[in-house]
Amino acid sequence: MAETVWSTDTGEAVYRSRDPVRNLRLRVHLQRITSSNFLRYQPAAQPGKDLIDLATFRPHPTASGHRSEEEEEEEVVIGWQEKLFSQFEVDLYRNEAACQSPLDHQYRQEILKLEDSGGRKNRRIFTYTDSDRYTNVEEHCQKMTTAAREVPSFLVERMANVRRRRQDRRGMEGGILKSRIVTWEPSEEFVRNNHVINTPLQTMYIMADLGPSGKLGYKKSEHVLCTLKVDSNGVITVKPDFTGLKGPYRMETEGEKQELWKYTVDNVSSLAQPEEEEREQRVFKDLYGRHKEYLSSLVGTDFEMTSPGALRLFVNGEVVSAQGYEYDNLYVHFFVELPTTNWSSPAFQQLSGITQTCATKSLGMDKVAYFSYPFTFEASFLHEDESADALPEWPVLYCEVLSLDFWRRYRVEGYGVVALPATPGSHTLTVPTWRPMELGTGAELRRFFIGGSLELEDLSYVWIPGTFKGERLSRFGFRTETTGCVTFRLHCLQQSRAFMESSSLRKRMQSVLDRLEGFSQQSSVHSVLEAFRRARRRMQEARESLPQDL
């Protein structure tokens, strides 16, 4: 007899199926490996030699009428949640006094019908379905480690109750709307009860009674051959995996008489017929078509267009981080200011926001607070002035960085401003900030202990105050201190009919867009270049005024 190649990988395998799980069929083959089995495979005795015939060692039929081969080898095809009774259950449910629940009485009726029809067909192989007590007890009592005295952790206990808790709560959660989506001050008990994700799960166990022949029906002889779990998403978990082309699994019993068993688990689900697959494809196609029509009805068939001569600006932004500040527990207050002329926004649009308070994290020499706070807004620009000299303005983003201390008192850490990008696309902007300061140590002591500090009454003073009407803005005598910087990530979209029309409107609007594109750079680049030219001119004049011998 060739040596049996055992399959040692008893881990679980995960499958996903769109087919209803009720079509699942498994073939389980169980066989006992004993000395009599091996003797049966030895070559026959040669004639003329004083050898005993091996047929003498073959076991005889048992008193129950079943042959020993049926006790030692069995093959059963099992469907999903199909109930096969064990000898223990047959003996238990024969007694009506042992039936306590409606399920017990139902099992008793089924067992009586089986006995009237000739008895059950299975001998050693049986099943525990999702409704049986064994399923609940096994999920609660199974061990996670190989330790002899394992103490289950809190997570293990909660995961053991996931299936039952979800099924008990299903009606309540579907019918009653939760009043609070976010619990700002969760209690410890609330955190413990809501820490585990609940997923509806059904379980089935394929078992085997590996007791000696004629002594079936003892709990200590029951062993798990295969565990099947199916959730509501069509994910099937099998432990151990289907045998397939691998060798059989082995199982060795404990006790005085140790016996070796081998078994295989194969998927024998019938394949769908071509006409069934075609009908299923038509159903899916019709379903997807109806869903597409439903989505189209929600979106509409007409694409929303802007009015002639208008530019619509969409900004999906994110406050990424803030770094380089003196104190911890930072939060950012920001808002977008639209120019007073030619710009507007919807009435429901919110152009300001406040991030959450974030603790800083050391990154090199700086302390960085990561916010990842998203925001979005929409604005429209309507070009009415036809003169070429009219320079359009662009929206500006203001930000104010503050910190909180232990007593919930805030300090101003810095102010910053930046013009929104005039070109569509993704942009990452780093906004430097500054804060007003007073001379002397008294102001710093007051800032540290009390939390008070100088603040701007009008945040637009960071850029150009809205009340300013002159030609030159002087900040002479205003003392400031450079602090950290705030990082914004902006995704800008622009919509205008000028992008698709070839008439004079496109040319007129294109000139406006070109000026808009350069507006955000004119105020900074031109001023820097002009200052550089003036400094270079003064340096040349100073060199020319020096004596020749120097």
Side-chain angles (χ1 to χ4, degrees), residues 508-538:
R508 185 171 68 253
M509 196 64 191
Q510 189 63 39
S511 62
V512 175
L513 294 175
D514 293 340
R515 283 180 287 161
L516 285 174
E517 182 177 354
F519 171 74
S520 60
Q521 302 174 357
Q522 287 178 2
S523 59
S524 58
V525 177
H526 290 182
S527 59
V528 172
L529 292 178
E530 185 64 26
F532 178 78
R533 293 192 188 98
R534 290 197 301 267
R536 184 176 182 182
R537 192 182 305 112
R538 288 196 298 269

Side-chain angles (χ1 to χ4, degrees), residues 78-86 89 93 103 106-107 110-111 114 122 125-134 204-205 207:
I78 305 173
W80 172 248
Q81 296 298 333
E82 180 181 354
K83 179 62 179 176
L84 298 180
F85 295 101
S86 65
E89 291 175 315
Y93 294 126
L103 183 63
Q106 178 184 346
Y107 283 169
E110 293 180 4
I111 290 174
L114 286 176
N122 60 303
I125 301 176
F126 62 97
T127 62
Y128 284 129
T129 62
D130 190 71
S131 304
D132 292 331
R133 298 191 194 94
Y134 178 86
M204 179 180 179
Y205 292 91
M207 311 289 293

Side-chain angles (χ1 to χ4, degrees), residues 3 15 25 40 128 170 290 381 406 437 443 465 508 536 544:
E3 184 180 357
Y15 300 90
R25 295 291 183 274
R40 225 174 281 148
Y128 284 129
R170 191 179 309 170
R290 292 177 180 272
F381 171 78
F406 176 78
M437 64 173 299
R508 185 171 68 253
R536 184 176 182 182
E544 292 175 357

Side-chain angles (χ1 to χ4, degrees), residues 153-155 157-158 165 186-196:
S153 63
F154 168 73
L155 182 59
E157 293 179 352
R158 299 301 294 180
R165 184 172 67 248
S187 62
E188 184 177 354
E189 183 67 21
F190 178 84
V191 174
R192 292 170 65 89
N193 292 335
N194 294 272
H195 182 68
V196 180

Side-chain angles (χ1 to χ4, degrees), residues 124-346:
R124 294 183 179 272
I125 301 176
F126 62 97
T127 62
Y128 284 129
T129 62
D130 190 71
S131 304
D132 292 331
R133 298 191 194 94
Y134 178 86
T135 304
N136 296 334
V137 174
E138 176 67 17
E139 288 182 354
H140 186 73
C141 300
Q142 61 182 351
K143 293 185 177 181
M144 297 291 107
T145 64
T146 56
R149 297 183 179 180
E150 176 187 343
V151 178
S153 63
F154 168 73
L155 182 59
V156 172
E157 293 179 352
R158 299 301 294 180
M159 290 302 297
N161 297 326
V162 162
R163 182 182 60 85
R164 294 196 300 276
R165 184 172 67 248
R166 181 60 180 237
Q167 290 181 349
D168 295 341
R169 282 184 172 183
R170 191 179 309 170
M172 180 184 66
E173 292 185 351
I176 301 178
L177 180 63
K178 294 182 178 179
S179 58
R180 293 187 301 174
I181 303 301
V182 177
T183 302
W184 296 106
E185 296 181 359
S187 62
E188 184 177 354
E189 183 67 21
F190 178 84
V191 174
R192 292 170 65 89
N193 292 335
N194 294 272
H195 182 68
V196 180
I197 298 178
N198 297 332
T199 304
L201 201 67
Q202 285 187 321
T203 310
M204 179 180 179
Y205 292 91
I206 301 178
M207 311 289 293
D209 189 345
L210 304 184
S213 300
K215 296 183 180 180
L216 302 181
Y218 291 92
K219 275 289 185 179
K220 63 180 181 180
S221 301
E222 294 183 359
H223 295 78
V224 179
L225 298 182
C226 182
T227 304
L228 299 173
K229 296 182 180 180
V230 178
D231 64 11
S232 58
N233 300 320
V235 177
I236 304 174
T237 305
V238 185
K239 182 180 181 179
D241 192 9
F242 299 129
T243 306
L245 300 178
K246 301 181 295 184
Y249 297 105
R250 61 179 293 169
M251 182 173 294
E252 189 172 347
T253 60
E254 299 178 355
E256 298 180 357
K257 186 178 180 181
Q258 295 184 353
E259 293 181 336
L260 181 64
W261 295 78
K262 71 174 183 179
Y263 69 96
T264 59
V265 181
D266 296 305
N267 180 17
V268 293
S269 304
S270 59
L271 300 177
Q273 299 298 326
E275 54 272 11
E276 294 180 356
E277 293 183 355
E278 184 178 355
R279 183 171 63 255
E280 183 181 8
Q281 292 296 330
R282 288 198 303 266
V283 171
F284 277 117
K285 185 176 181 180
D286 181 65
L287 176 62
Y288 293 150
R290 292 177 180 272
H291 186 64
K292 183 178 179 181
E293 293 177 359
Y294 172 71
L295 295 179
S296 300
S297 64
L298 295 178
V299 176
T301 56
D302 296 333
F303 186 77
E304 185 180 358
M305 294 295 297
T306 59
S307 58
L311 173 70
R312 182 177 294 176
L313 173 66
F314 299 91
V315 177
N316 294 323
E318 176 190 0
V319 184
V320 180
S321 62
Q323 65 179 20
Y325 293 98
E326 184 178 2
Y327 292 101
D328 201 351
N329 297 325
L330 303 176
Y331 67 96
V332 179
H333 171 218
F334 62 93
F335 68 93
V336 178
E337 182 185 37
L338 298 179
T340 57
T341 58
N342 302 333
W343 282 92
S344 63
S345 64

Side-chain angles (χ1 to χ4, degrees), residues 446-466:
R446 183 169 58 253
R447 171 181 166 84
F448 179 80
F449 288 103
I450 303 178
S453 59
L454 295 179
E455 301 180 29
L456 296 179
E457 295 183 358
D458 184 9
L459 291 183
S460 62
Y461 189 76
V462 182
W463 185 251
I464 300 177

Side-chain angles (χ1 to χ4, degrees), residues 8-19:
T8 58
D9 184 8
T10 58
E12 64 182 20
V14 180
Y15 300 90
R16 182 182 294 273
S17 175
R18 294 189 304 176
D19 197 37

